[in-house]
Amino acid sequence: MVKRGSVLSKFQNFDAYAKTLDDFRIKTYYGAALTIISTLIILVLLWSEFNEYRSTEIKPELVVDTSRKEKLTININITFPRVPCYLLSVDVMDIAGESQNDLTHDVYKTRIDSMGNKILIEKATEIGNKTKEPKNIVSETAPSTNETYCGSCYGGDPPESGCCNTCEEVQESYIRKGWSLNNPNDIEQCVKEGWSKKASEQAKEGCNVAGSVMVNKVAGNFHLAPGKSYQQNNFHVHDIQPFLSDGTNHDFTHIIHHLSFGPMVEGVANPLDGVSQAVSSGLHMYTYFVKVVSTQFHFLNETSIYTNQYSVTQFGRDLTGKDNHDGHSHNQGGLPGVFFNYEISPMLIINREESKSLTHFLTGVCAIVGGIFTVAGILDGFIYNAEKTFKKKVELGKHL
Ligand SMILES: *[C@@H]1O[C@H](CO)[C@@H](O)[C@H](O)[C@H]1NC(C)=O
């Protein structure tokens, strides 16, 4: 009994919170007020601390991108109010020069009338150099199905079959020779297909190009340019004659509704969305230099999104060479149209969603409770002492 008591009393020496006797405690009205106020403050602060604990945050991390053999999806939606669809071709080329036939692509051209309303959808088949003229021009009068028919190429370089059975084939054979088909009315195949009539009907139209293109994840270029495009001696050539000389003033004024690389994620801004650019002359080349940065999102619910962000600079160039200071023509070549040169950044941004730690929350709680009570205690002591001094002075005054 005695022994236990002495052990206990030794242990009691560790008490950092020695109590004062209740008899010596004085309760004051301002002490009560301070207690209530500090309790309210504590509750408010605890509530906000708890809310912060429950929220998550996205932590970005920058590493070198070591992934390989990836594909890049380009999503595009762009409108040209003054270039009809049949004059517009969409081409993708990358620096690897890799065959583009394995592209999975889904790009649609929509004809827009002069009032800006949609007319009909056609699939853009120019991509990957599979040159097929937009369907709405050719399809109504199907190429001659007569097996024995072999159209003349009118001096052009004939295709492998040796015959030019459609207006388009005549055009291609001309381009292979380096000529341009200036007068389709002289070509039997074109007259049969009603080419000129269609062309003049659609001359005042515009075109919307929308869809997704899958490309190799290497630097490359996709462009929307006039005329039929094809590969000639390793050069990418467009026949722009119809664009320049069909009697209508076309130009590459454009509105980019949307341009993104990969899936959409909330919080990733696409700087070109909604950008429009007015161009006054048909001979104008507009180039966007796009740097694509791979971005990953890893969310707490174990889902991940692999997408890309980009930054862009833009540059417009007049191809007529009129704006030279020294009067010489410095026409360095170039093609009217809208070009997107994209480069892949070697850096990868990993955004991880993280929750707040419980220990951090508990530390915060202790800091709030302890801190507020300490400050209130100091205030209380201050008021108590001030009151005591004041009372003493009053009493001294009475005695005098
Ligand atoms: C392209 O953008 C226009 C304007 O925002 C929109 O009306 C149209 O539906 C879009 N096309 C596609 C295929 O998303």
Side-chain angles (χ1 to χ4, degrees):
M1 194 70 181
V2 176
K3 207 179 171 198
R4 200 173 122 221
S6 73
V7 170
L8 259 183
S9 69
K10 268 189 187 145
F11 184 66
Q12 279 173 356
N13 289 337
F14 288 106
D15 187 359
Y17 309 101
K19 280 91 189 156
T20 48
L21 286 173
D22 271 353
D23 293 350
F24 292 102
R25 293 183 171 225
I26 302 165
K27 304 219 167 191
T28 54
Y29 61 91
Y30 51 81
L34 270 177
T35 310
I36 292 170
I37 291 170
S38 44
T39 310
L40 286 178
I41 294 175
I42 286 172
L43 285 180
V44 170
L45 290 182
L46 281 186
W47 177 245
S48 75
E49 180 80 6
F50 180 64
N51 276 339
E52 200 184 313
Y53 166 63
R54 280 198 316 170
S55 70
T56 56
E57 66 182 335
I58 300 270
K59 285 228 173 99
E61 187 187 329
L62 193 65
V63 297
V64 172
D65 191 355
T66 50
S67 59
R68 291 179 301 144
K69 280 206 169 180
E70 264 185 78
K71 292 279 184 182
L72 181 67
T73 310
I74 304 173
N75 308 307
I76 186 162
N77 183 351
I78 179 168
T79 296
F80 299 92
R82 286 196 283 279
V83 185
C85 284
Y86 78 96
L87 278 178
L88 193 65
S89 73
V90 188
D91 300 276
V92 184
M93 298 186 292
D94 63 35
I95 53 162
E98 196 167 288
S99 161
Q100 294 161 45
N101 300 332
D102 62 336
L103 289 180
T104 50
H105 51 265
D106 266 306
V107 174
Y108 294 90
K109 289 184 193 167
T110 312
R111 287 166 54 191
I112 309 264
D113 65 21
S114 47
M115 307 301 292
N117 302 314
K118 294 185 174 178
I119 301 178
L120 64 86
I121 285 189
E122 54 191 84
K123 196 157 179 180
T125 44
E126 298 282 304
I127 286 174
N129 285 333
K130 283 261 175 283
T131 41
K132 274 264 186 294
E133 196 55 31
K135 294 228 164 36
N136 62 322
I137 288 195
V138 181
S139 60
E140 285 172 30
T141 47
S144 176
T145 46
N146 186 349
E147 299 254 326
T148 57
Y149 176 79
C150 182
S152 159
C153 288
Y154 295 85
D157 197 357
E160 269 168 34
S161 66
C163 304
C164 293
N165 288 352
T166 62
C167 182
E168 188 193 341
E169 278 175 353
V170 176
Q171 232 179 354
E172 281 169 10
S173 73
Y174 264 52
I175 294 166
R176 272 192 291 273
K177 264 246 157 126
W179 303 343
S180 182
L181 189 62
N182 286 332
N183 198 349
N185 289 328
D186 292 346
I187 310 291
E188 180 203 353
Q189 289 90 327
C190 296
V191 173
K192 223 164 49 181
E193 290 169 15
W195 188 279
S196 296
K197 187 164 149 275
K198 295 260 167 187
S200 64
E201 269 173 19
Q202 297 185 14
K204 292 251 187 293
E205 285 179 9
C207 192
N208 170 262
V209 177
S212 304
V213 194
M214 189 100 94
V215 300
N216 292 317
K217 205 167 177 181
V218 294
N221 160 303
F222 69 92
H223 55 261
L224 302 107
K228 193 174 288 302
S229 65
Y230 61 99
Q231 217 67 24
Q232 186 184 48
N233 307 329
N234 286 332
F235 282 105
H236 182 79
V237 188
H238 282 255
D239 177 18
I240 64 169
Q241 200 60 40
F243 172 78
L244 293 178
S245 56
D246 71 347
T248 312
N249 286 328
H250 303 297
D251 67 56
F252 271 89
T253 294
H254 56 277
I255 305 142
I256 303 173
H257 305 294
H258 180 67
L259 179 74
S260 66
F261 298 84
M264 296 279 290
V265 185
E266 207 186 323
V268 172
N270 295 309
L272 280 181
D273 284 13
V275 167
S276 65
Q277 196 66 49
V279 170
S280 55
S281 132
L283 280 171
H284 199 96
M285 179 176 183
Y286 214 88
T287 314
Y288 293 92
F289 298 93
V290 180
K291 286 232 192 294
V292 180
V293 186
S294 308
T295 306
Q296 298 180 358
F297 285 87
H298 299 287
F299 296 106
L300 279 177
N301 58 4
E302 306 275 294
T303 56
S304 297
I305 297 178
Y306 296 84
T307 185
N308 300 279
Q309 293 170 276
Y310 64 90
S311 75
V312 67
T313 50
Q314 61 201 57
F315 178 67
R317 185 152 66 95
D318 193 358
L319 299 177
T320 52
K322 269 185 295 198
D323 53 357
N324 287 313
H325 321 289
D326 53 4
H328 293 290
S329 171
H330 288 306
N331 198 344
Q332 298 158 337
L335 188 65
V338 177
F339 291 71
F340 294 89
N341 287 317
Y342 54 90
E343 271 174 46
I344 313 295
S345 156
M347 302 312 279
L348 164 70
I349 297 173
I350 304 176
N351 290 303
R352 267 181 231 286
E353 190 180 27
E354 286 181 0
S355 56
K356 304 282 167 53
S357 79
L358 180 64
T359 46
H360 196 270
F361 170 65
L362 291 179
T363 317
V365 168
C366 292
I368 290 171
V369 175
I372 297 287
F373 272 128
T374 308
V375 172
I378 292 170
L379 265 180
D380 184 64
F382 182 73
I383 298 174
Y384 180 69
N385 283 329
E387 190 196 31
K388 241 175 27 184
T389 326
F390 180 69
K391 273 186 183 158
K392 238 182 229 165
K393 280 203 174 139
V394 170
E395 290 207 348
L396 274 176
K398 270 185 193 163
H399 285 294
L400 277 176

